[in-house]
Each structure stands twice: as C-alpha cells, then as structure tokens.
Amino acid sequence: MTLRLPLPDGSTRAYAPRGEPLALSPAGPPTSRTVFSAAHVVADPYADTTPDSPAAVDWDATLAFRRHLWSHGLGVAEAMDTAQRGMGLDWAGAAELIRRSAAEAGAVGGRIACGVGTDQITGGTLPEIRAAYEEQLAVVEESGAQAILMASRALAAAATGPEDYLDLYGHLLRQASEPVILHWLGPMFDPALDGYWGSRDLDAATETFLDVITAHPDRVDGIKVSLLDARREVELRRRLPEGVRCYTGDDFHYPELIAGDEQGFSHALLGIFDPLGPLAAEAVRILDTGDVAGFRKTLDPTVALSRHLFRAPTRFYKTGVVFLAWLAGHQDHFTMVGGLQSARSLPHLARAYELADGLGLFPDPSRAESRMRSLLTVYGVPQ
C-alpha cells in the first residue's frame, strides 16, 4: 500500500512505506564519548488547557520515554530547550519534571543532567537574575542531577556588556557544588538570546565565553554549543582548558564533530538524539571500537532528517520531534504543551515521516503508517 503525501506546492505524491525497522537492542552506554539526548515532554491530551495555561504533562508517558533513552545507554538532558522550556513549559512544570526525572534516573541507574535558567522571571535586575539562577540551581542539585547552566533571556536583556556575564557566571560557578555544563544557545533557537555573552559579534562573544571558562576550569565539566557552525565549534573546543569537554549541540554537523579529528572531538548533547536515540547510541558504540568509517556510515544518513526538523524557524523543531515520537509509538497522540503541534505545516510533517521511515526509525512501521494515514485524513488529503 502507498500513502499520498502532500508537497509544499499543493500537490501530492505516492510514497511506499518501508516494511522493516532497524533491529536495535538496548545496550550499555558508549565508552568513547559521553552522549546525552535532550528529551521532549509528553502533554496530557485530555487536559482542558489553552496555549497560555500552565503545561499539563502526562508524567507516565514522559518518564517512560526517558527509560527508553536510558535503556539504550544514552544520558538524558532534562528540562532543556527540547522539553519546551520557555515555549510551553514554565518553571513550575520544569521543576516538577526535574524532580521526577532525577528520581527515575536514580531508580534505574540512568545518567541525567538538568537545565538551570531564569524562566521563573520575565525580566529583572542583575541581582534578581542571579537569585533566579540560584533558585533553579538549588532544585537541580537537591534532586541529585548534574546542572546545565542555560542561557537566560532575562540576562540577555539586562546585561550591559561582557563584564556582567563574567561576574554573574563566576558567582554561579563558585557556588555550584559540582562541575556544571555551560550552554550557549544561539539566536536561531531563541531570538531573545541574540547578543549573548555581551556582543552580537560571535568572535567577541566567544572570547567572553572562554574567559568565563578559563577563570574557573575546575568548575566546568564541559560546554554545550548550539550555534550550527561546525568551524566555530572546532576552533572553540581546541581552546578549551585541559579536562573541559565540548558537547556538540550542532544538529546539522554532529557526525563529523563527534568523530573528531587529530586534535580532538566533541561529545554530544543533542535534541536530534531524541528521535534518533537507539540509532545514535549504536553508532557511537561502533565508534568505541575505533571504526570511524562505520560510525559515519551509520550516522551520516540521519543528517537529512535532522536538517529538515531543524530548518528555520529552528525553534519549532520540537514539533517534528514529538510528531516522530507519536509515530514511533512512544505516546498515543500528537499533542504538545502550549499547542505547539500546530507550529509546523502538514508538508513539513509528511517529509519528516518519509525521512524517518526511510531510516527505519519506527519500531512498528505499520503503526507509523496507520497514524500518518489518520493525520492525512484529518487534514483532508485523499488517500
């Protein structure tokens, strides 16, 4: 049987779904790289909410998805951009997510790191922003998780120059009980972060970022860089102090950055490893054996899907991630907190289905086909 998939020009074309999924079994964590998947949240589809309401989360399905990632040897990066922080998930919901996921990680022996930001306030003075960071850092540390210091919209608005970043981050790093991951999220993911680290000039911003790290190398486990610029990431990681890791957040160039070169490599903390979790983990385990060619052969074909999901406006990539989770059977519906399921077009979703199906990502291809067909029917696409 075939599906009629809609194209951007308003026409449709026939697509014959793949019959067999990839055979990927649960296994232990990779050994040559530290690999985190930034995980999405599953909305409660029966909640009577509006886009402005506090998030209604299906906790059972949300935690089940994290167990799925852990079972394949991946770490979970919790309450990050992929979990719709600032795009449907408020701080109260994020705090509950952190507590629940950290407890689940402890129960199953999974690795977890959680986002620390300032989204309980919408603006404020520098002291108020510091206090907001401190509140969230306390929640993460009390949960037993590693902290990821995320970029702050409030700080981007309030800071008058690089010195404000150096002062605030220095204070937080001295206060943290364990080394943290610093997160630089580019404006393509969140336009409110334009000019982070005190300058819209990325070269100048990079120098400030490095100044923060080199002043406190023993307090920084690593950095997550999400700028979609492979050259800049490679140059940055080569300048990191000894022992500070680079976690790529580049959803366009991750295979080459993880593979690395003669001067080093990137670890991974990626939103695309939500839908790619089992396949990504298997690829890195191949890399563990020293088989770089086998790693690239496994992971390179996934880049087309990732580039499609993360196409501009990039911040709406979460819609495609949750859509694929529904098709893969990790949740029973295509509903998102904040109503974000409406953020991508039907042709965009259809292409995501085609690319993911071609990779063999759906454990049950017939279920994925049936769900895709039901969505097409709702949209009035004749089959």
Side-chain angles (χ1 to χ4, degrees):
M1 295 180 66
T2 61
L3 291 171
R4 299 298 306 182
L5 297 182
L7 299 173
D9 65 3
S11 65
T12 64
R13 74 175 186 85
Y15 173 72
R18 174 173 173 151
E20 294 294 329
L22 291 174
L24 298 169
S25 301
T31 56
S32 63
R33 306 289 190 272
T34 300
V35 183
F36 287 98
S37 165
H40 74 280
V41 294
V42 182
D44 178 356
Y46 300 113
D48 186 13
T49 62
T50 69
D52 296 329
S53 301
V57 177
D58 180 338
W59 294 113
D60 289 341
T62 293
L63 294 177
F65 185 74
R66 279 131 185 86
R67 291 193 297 272
H68 156 73
L69 295 173
W70 285 319
S71 76
H72 286 275
L74 296 168
V76 169
E78 188 57 277
M80 301 290 291
D81 183 55
T82 306
Q84 296 181 241
R85 287 290 290 271
M87 290 185 68
L89 186 70
D90 60 12
W91 166 236
E96 182 70 9
L97 178 64
I98 288 166
R99 294 185 182 102
R100 288 176 179 259
S101 292
E104 196 73 16
V108 304
R111 182 164 186 168
I112 188 167
C114 299
V116 172
T118 64
D119 46 330
Q120 70 271 55
I121 61 174
T122 57
T125 64
L126 291 173
E128 290 169 338
I129 294 166
R130 187 176 79 179
Y133 264 125
E134 290 172 337
E135 177 189 354
Q136 296 200 14
L137 179 61
V139 169
V140 170
E141 292 189 334
E142 288 166 4
S143 77
Q146 183 178 15
I148 304 171
L149 294 185
M150 300 194 302
S152 161
R153 293 175 179 173
L155 180 56
T160 59
E163 296 77 14
D164 290 334
Y165 290 89
L166 291 167
D167 179 67
L168 191 148
Y169 275 90
H171 174 85
L172 294 173
L173 289 172
R174 288 189 296 271
Q175 180 176 320
S177 61
E178 300 290 342
V180 308
I181 298 172
L182 295 180
H183 186 191
W184 185 359
L185 191 68
M188 68 288 294
F189 289 94
D190 187 343
L193 299 177
D194 191 25
Y196 212 74
W197 304 111
S199 178
R200 288 186 171 86
D201 181 331
L202 288 179
D203 290 334
T206 297
E207 294 305 316
T208 301
F209 189 43
L210 283 167
D211 285 345
V212 170
I213 298 162
T214 55
H216 310 277
D218 59 328
R219 311 307 303 153
V220 180
D221 165 74
I223 61 169
K224 170 178 158 55
V225 186
S226 299
L227 298 175
L228 304 183
D229 185 334
R231 177 194 60 80
R232 184 173 296 279
E233 179 174 322
V234 170
E235 292 175 354
L236 177 56
R237 81 183 182 203
R238 289 175 178 172
R239 296 178 63 188
L240 293 175
E242 185 74 23
V244 176
R245 289 181 271 197
C246 180
Y247 294 91
T248 187
D250 188 329
D251 300 280
F252 285 3
H253 308 100
Y254 51 93
E256 66 198 71
L257 291 165
I258 296 169
D261 55 30
E262 66 283 354
Q263 297 185 53
F265 56 81
S266 295
H267 300 269
L269 198 166
L270 287 160
I272 191 57
F273 281 6
D274 180 303
L276 292 184
L279 180 58
E282 179 64 21
V284 181
R285 281 190 288 269
I286 293 171
L287 186 60
D288 291 345
T289 70
D291 184 359
V292 177
F295 165 78
R296 294 296 299 269
K297 182 180 179 181
T298 302
L299 207 57
D300 280 2
T302 69
V303 172
L305 172 63
S306 188
R307 285 178 173 266
H308 178 72
L309 295 182
F310 285 79
R311 67 187 297 182
T314 302
R315 63 189 181 278
F316 295 124
Y317 76 88
K318 297 98 165 172
T319 301
V321 165
V322 174
F323 172 66
L324 294 182
W326 172 54
L327 295 181
H330 295 299
Q331 54 195 78
D332 294 331
H333 57 85
F334 178 36
T335 305
M336 298 176 67
V337 298
L340 207 64
Q341 67 270 14
S342 65
R344 290 295 201 189
S345 69
L346 184 63
H348 179 92
L349 297 176
R351 180 59 176 159
Y353 162 73
E354 182 179 2
L355 290 168
D357 181 66
L359 291 168
L361 293 185
F362 301 128
D364 184 344
S366 62
R367 176 175 56 195
E369 177 189 348
S370 175
R371 289 183 172 185
M372 187 69 221
R373 192 180 299 277
S374 71
L375 184 70
L376 293 169
T377 300
V378 167
Y379 275 82
V381 180
Q383 295 298 303

